[in-house]
Amino acid sequence: MLLPSSEFGEELRKRRLGAGLSLTALSAVVHYSKAQLSKVERGIAAPSRDLARLCDAALHAGGALIALVAPPVTDVPKEPAPYGVNEEEWVMRLSPDGSSGFQPVGRRQVVGAGAASLMSWRTGGQGRVSPTGGVGMLDASRSLFTHYRRLGQSVEPGFLLPGLIAQTHTLRELSAHVDSGTRQELLALGSRYAEYVGWLVQETGDEQAALWWTQRAVDLAAAGGDRALAGYALVRRALVTLYQDDAEQTVALARRAQSGTLPPRIRGLAAQREAQGHALAGDGDACMRALDRARTLLAVQEGEGEAPVIGSMHLPDSVGMITGWCLFDLGQVRKAAEELDRQLALVSPEAVRTQVRYGIRRALAYASHGEIDHACALVAPLLDGVVAVRSATVTIDLRRLSRVLARHSGHAVVRRLEPRLAVLSRLPVS
């Protein structure tokens, strides 16, 4: 919960007067009421981080105002738990009522619970899998992974996770029964499955489990001789801190993932994440430098063979889209809206999760600029997609949009949307 801040209020008033702006003039720029700004300046009302960003940009404070509004405190660990590939058994419970679950357990627990099992089976012990069988499983699993990623754009995570987890386990176990070359490829693909599971788990709102799966991906890749995925794991961990509004940790993790020994694509994705961290902190110059670096690195063509693409496969211009994202966090909401307009026009309509994620932020940018009717017109067609994909990260921006629109409850279109927005902003995830 944000608390009133006399320090923020004093700094805001000093900078507003220094810029020669009245409360009325600042209100017209940031689209908050004069009464609300007055309460914030007097330390009576708490400044939201969104208000701090808008005021910071309007008064050219370079992040000074943003820094005075502390991010929420979270208890998610910054480092994932240590792990070894063969240290655990994986147990998944599938229930007809949809209340399924996954849990890693120790071997002693598995042995103790074995008598209660309704069904169990064994793989072929120490037997070898023929080269044809190993390659066949590898090809089928690659194709399946592509289909899963496409399905992930239009289906909520809970429907996909059981199959993805089972496939990760299958690839890990099969790798022990094939030749060394196929083994490396199976483990590499298994690591991509595990990384994707981590992303979907984050979409359910379980950040700690998302970190657990990201570390599983790193360990599987390392067992197959690929150390580069550890760099991308830092980018994924930085996504967790980004959604926690922790600019400092986001930048620190992203910078660690830009070692010259890592592939250009991983470094490019890390530079994008660094830019998002700088934007959270209100440092526009550092943000733009990181985006320039990202564009250069992501333009490098790499020969990855048949390996799945690391990162999003649904953004035709990922740097352009992240630029729009960053401009919003920098308080340049009109520029953000225009950039997101351009980028969303390039995204396939079938990529529902991507359309919803960036479409909600575009509507938020227009609403923050005071274009309420247009924001409502943009968000209304996205709400069915919000229900379909059930994304915890999208819900964060949807709640922010609901709060902005609530300040304009006199608009008829806002009143029509408000009941459904209220329900979707509290939507339980998978």
Side-chain angles (χ1 to χ4, degrees):
M1 180 179 297
L2 294 172
L3 299 176
S5 169
S6 60
E7 185 180 8
F8 180 90
E10 291 170 6
E11 185 67 17
L12 175 61
R13 177 177 172 78
K14 182 180 76 173
R15 288 180 178 272
R16 176 179 63 78
L17 294 175
L21 293 177
S22 65
L23 275 173
T24 301
L26 182 60
S27 171
V29 174
V30 300
H31 301 284
Y32 274 72
S33 70
K34 175 182 174 181
Q36 179 68 13
L37 291 176
S38 176
K39 289 178 182 178
V40 169
E41 282 196 352
R42 288 180 289 148
I44 297 172
S48 68
R49 289 185 68 77
D50 283 340
L51 174 59
R53 291 186 182 109
L54 290 169
C55 291
D56 195 279
L59 299 173
H60 306 288
L65 288 171
I66 295 173
L68 294 176
V69 182
V73 178
T74 60
D75 58 0
V76 175
K78 296 296 187 293
E79 296 287 341
Y83 174 76
V85 171
N86 295 313
E87 289 177 7
E88 294 163 340
E89 301 285 351
W90 296 1
V91 175
M92 186 159 53
R93 175 178 53 81
L94 303 177
S95 175
D97 66 3
S99 59
S100 305
F102 165 86
Q103 184 178 5
V105 298
R107 294 184 185 277
R108 290 183 181 179
Q109 291 173 271
V110 173
V111 172
S117 299
L118 294 176
M119 180 178 69
S120 64
W121 63 88
R122 292 182 59 83
T123 54
Q126 299 300 314
R128 302 292 293 176
V129 174
S130 70
T132 302
V135 171
M137 179 61 98
L138 185 62
D139 290 342
S141 298
R142 281 184 182 137
S143 176
L144 190 59
F145 186 54
T146 299
H147 289 301
Y148 268 122
R149 292 184 73 177
R150 287 174 180 159
L151 280 171
Q153 284 291 309
S154 56
V155 177
E156 67 174 274
F159 290 124
L160 301 181
L161 285 169
L164 287 163
I165 291 170
Q167 190 66 24
T168 306
H169 171 77
T170 297
L171 292 168
R172 185 185 73 163
E173 294 304 301
L174 185 64
S175 70
H177 302 280
V178 295
D179 62 90
S180 60
T182 307
R183 176 178 184 272
Q184 287 189 335
E185 292 186 83
L186 288 168
L187 288 170
L189 183 58
S191 72
R192 299 292 179 86
Y193 267 91
E195 190 278 323
Y196 186 54
V197 169
W199 161 238
L200 289 181
V201 168
Q202 184 174 353
E203 286 285 79
T204 72
D206 192 337
E207 294 174 332
Q208 191 158 359
L211 292 176
W212 189 94
W213 274 104
T214 300
Q215 187 59 40
R216 303 302 75 78
V218 170
D219 292 328
L220 286 168
D226 175 12
R227 301 287 175 180
L229 197 67
Y232 186 63
L234 294 169
V235 181
R236 288 284 295 108
R237 284 166 51 198
L239 184 64
V240 173
T241 58
L242 178 73
Y243 276 105
Q244 294 171 353
D245 268 344
D246 190 335
E248 183 179 357
Q249 278 293 323
T250 300
V251 170
L253 288 165
R255 282 178 171 170
R256 285 172 57 191
Q258 293 179 64
S259 163
T261 61
L262 292 170
R265 180 165 180 80
I266 291 178
R267 285 184 282 145
L269 295 172
Q272 282 187 167
R273 189 76 75 238
E274 181 187 343
Q276 290 176 292
H278 287 308
L280 273 186
D283 191 339
D285 290 341
C287 174
M288 293 303 147
R289 287 196 300 270
L291 287 170
D292 288 342
R293 194 161 62 249
R295 188 171 293 282
T296 299
L297 288 164
L298 292 174
V300 176
Q301 298 296 318
E302 300 177 81
E304 293 193 5
E306 299 179 86
V309 174
I310 291 179
S312 174
M313 56 185 283
H314 300 282
L315 290 178
D317 179 6
S318 65
V319 179
M321 191 72 88
I322 298 302
T323 298
W325 183 285
C326 290
L327 287 170
F328 176 82
D329 281 340
L330 287 167
Q332 300 177 39
V333 291
R334 179 65 195 190
K335 288 184 179 179
E338 293 171 350
E339 184 62 35
L340 291 170
D341 278 341
R342 285 189 287 272
Q343 296 303 322
L344 280 163
L346 305 176
V347 176
S348 167
E350 296 178 359
V352 177
R353 189 177 296 273
T354 299
Q355 286 280 359
V356 166
R357 177 176 312 285
Y358 295 100
I360 296 294
R361 179 152 284 227
R362 173 175 60 168
L364 176 58
Y366 275 111
S368 299
H369 193 254
E371 298 181 52
I372 303 304
D373 290 341
H374 188 46
C376 290
L378 289 172
V379 77
L382 298 175
L383 297 183
D384 286 342
V386 171
V387 175
V389 302
R390 293 213 176 202
S391 163
T393 51
V394 167
T395 300
I396 291 172
D397 271 357
L398 193 66
R399 288 171 181 161
R400 296 167 76 182
L401 176 61
S402 295
R403 289 194 292 269
V404 174
L405 294 180
R407 304 201 309 269
H408 303 271
S409 56
H411 283 62
V413 67
V414 172
R415 289 197 299 271
R416 288 196 297 271
L417 274 179
E418 193 280 332
R420 197 172 188 205
L421 283 176
V423 170
L424 295 181
S425 295
R426 298 191 298 269
L427 191 67
V429 291
S430 301

